[in-house]
Amino acid sequence: MNNLSQVILELLAISLGVDRLYYCKFFEDGRSVMRGNNYPPCRNAGLTFGTGPHSDPNSLTILHQDQVGGLEIFSDNKWRAIKPRRDAFVVNIGDTFMALSNGRYKSCLHRAVVNKERVRRSIVFFVNPKDDKIVRPPPPQKRKDINVIMKKEEEEEERVYPDFTWLDLQEFTQNHYRADTTTLQNFVHWLSSNKQTQP
Ligand SMILES: O=C(O)CCC(=O)C(=O)O
Ligand SMILES: [Fe+2]
């Protein structure tokens, strides 16, 4: 899974015009986590979620679901079921990568519904940086646009999110806030008010 995440990070860097190994290096001493999810059947499946709507706070999520299915993503104003495939992983962008790409990549709103009769299982690999790594997008000199000389406005691109550490975001989502659709905005607010109250 680690190797797969490195390949995906390289592709993401290429797509952003960043040095192709930039994110691979950023995550090489990372603290990725694998988790198994078990959703028992539920007679009132229409009234109950396995996992309510949220974006993952981590960087990337690589997920495999069993044949029961239940993963849904919100796209074009609609909840869309992701058809289970034995031979494929689902890759979601999380809030931390949204910050690392200065908002170019958006974290993916998703949820999991339960099944009336069958237990459902999924396995999830969350890609995370090292706890104390500073999360910030690559500086302009690290963005190499292949044929084009970098445009001035790109060089002076405004930061969408302030610097933070993965530890800060974990503290927020584990102790103060249940990850949902607006985790990052609320986190940024929490971070700035916390800083102000610190001596
Ligand atoms: O079980 C699923 O398909 C989704 C799980 C999920 O979103 C999560 O663990 O963050
Ligand atoms: Fe999730």
Side-chain angles (χ1 to χ4, degrees):
M1 287 307 246
N2 228 4
N3 291 349
L4 175 61
S5 70
Q6 289 279 310
V7 173
I8 297 167
L9 288 165
E10 194 174 340
L11 292 172
L12 288 168
I14 293 168
S15 75
L16 289 165
V18 172
D19 179 300
R20 62 192 299 153
L21 295 180
Y22 182 83
Y23 292 119
C24 295
K25 286 184 199 143
F26 184 83
F27 285 96
E28 78 193 347
D29 56 355
R31 296 277 178 274
S32 296
V33 173
M34 186 170 269
R35 183 171 80 199
N37 292 317
N38 182 66
Y39 304 96
C42 175
R43 236 181 274 157
N44 278 330
L47 299 176
T48 317
F49 285 126
T51 305
H54 67 283
S55 304
D56 295 333
N58 52 284
S59 300
L60 299 181
T61 304
I62 306 175
L63 178 147
H64 194 270
Q65 59 174 337
D66 67 13
Q67 291 302 298
V68 175
L71 175 64
E72 296 184 349
I73 60 148
F74 195 72
S75 163
D76 294 332
N77 267 336
K78 259 198 208 153
W79 284 105
R80 296 170 191 270
I82 302 297
K83 208 169 150 205
R85 281 185 59 158
R86 287 183 209 282
D87 60 347
F89 291 112
V90 176
V91 179
N92 278 338
I93 300 290
D95 289 334
T96 301
F97 196 82
M98 179 153 76
L100 280 171
S101 66
N102 206 26
R104 283 192 170 78
Y105 275 94
K106 310 286 178 217
S107 59
C108 171
L109 180 58
H110 59 285
R111 66 185 186 186
V113 298
V114 283
N115 189 276
K116 266 193 178 143
E117 279 120 33
R118 294 163 72 191
V119 64
R120 169 179 185 264
R121 295 197 176 101
S122 64
I123 189 150
V124 194
F125 186 71
F126 295 110
V127 179
N128 301 319
K130 196 163 164 254
D131 279 350
D132 59 358
K133 206 97 176 177
I134 306 286
V135 174
R136 74 163 72 103
Q141 66 271 25
K142 292 273 179 197
R143 296 178 46 106
K144 60 169 179 84
D145 289 341
I146 302 133
N147 297 318
V148 188
I149 296 171
M150 207 178 279
K151 284 187 241 110
K152 189 136 183 46
E153 64 266 29
E154 235 184 301
E155 250 174 80
E156 287 163 8
E157 184 180 57
E158 248 183 63
R159 289 281 303 278
V160 180
Y161 305 103
D163 286 358
F164 61 90
T165 63
W166 169 232
L167 193 66
D168 290 336
L169 184 52
Q170 283 177 90
E171 151 82 6
F172 183 64
T173 52
Q174 285 170 14
N175 299 328
H176 302 279
Y177 194 85
R178 194 172 187 284
D180 66 5
T181 56
T182 52
T183 309
L184 211 48
Q185 281 127 276
N186 287 300
F187 168 64
V188 168
H189 188 166
W190 175 81
L191 198 65
S192 63
S193 46
N194 247 18
K195 270 187 191 151
Q196 275 160 21
T197 54
Q198 268 162 26

